[in-house]
């Protein structure tokens, strides 16, 4: 139990430190080039599309594997 508590404390301390450093950096450089919500939406759509295409290909190959063996 002590080991878990120590790990949790270290993780919270690390996260708090990183957040504080990030806020200080944002104060020093307000023009740091934040990613816009549009960019995030485009990336999520692209990754989702790629996963759907890969999944569809995997399903087709699995379904017709016996027919494709003779090619």
């Amino acid at each position: 139990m002590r080991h878990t508590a120590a790990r949790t404390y270290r993780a919270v301390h690390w996260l708090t430190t990183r957040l504080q450093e990030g806020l200080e950096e944002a104060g020093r450089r307000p023009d740091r080039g934040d990613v816009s919500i549009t960019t995030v939406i485009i990336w999520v759509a692209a990754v989702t599309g790629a996963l759907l295409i890969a999944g569809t290909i995997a399903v087709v190959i699995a379904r017709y594997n016996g027919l494709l063996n003779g090619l």
Side-chain angles (χ1 to χ4, degrees):
M1 185 80 155
R2 282 176 126 169
H3 186 66
T4 304
R7 255 190 195 169
T8 303
Y9 174 78
R10 282 194 304 266
V12 169
H13 179 68
W14 180 82
L15 285 171
T16 304
T17 304
R18 286 289 295 144
L19 179 61
Q20 185 177 17
E21 289 172 357
L23 291 173
E24 289 171 2
E25 179 71 14
R28 285 193 301 268
R29 297 186 326 138
D31 62 339
R32 66 187 191 283
D34 287 336
V35 176
S36 70
I37 190 68
T38 307
T39 304
V40 172
I41 291 170
I42 291 170
W43 273 102
V44 168
V47 170
T48 303
L51 290 173
L52 285 173
I53 291 170
T56 302
I57 291 171
V59 167
V60 169
I61 288 175
R63 183 173 180 150
Y64 296 104
N65 195 23
L67 298 175
L68 293 174
N69 282 338
L71 295 178

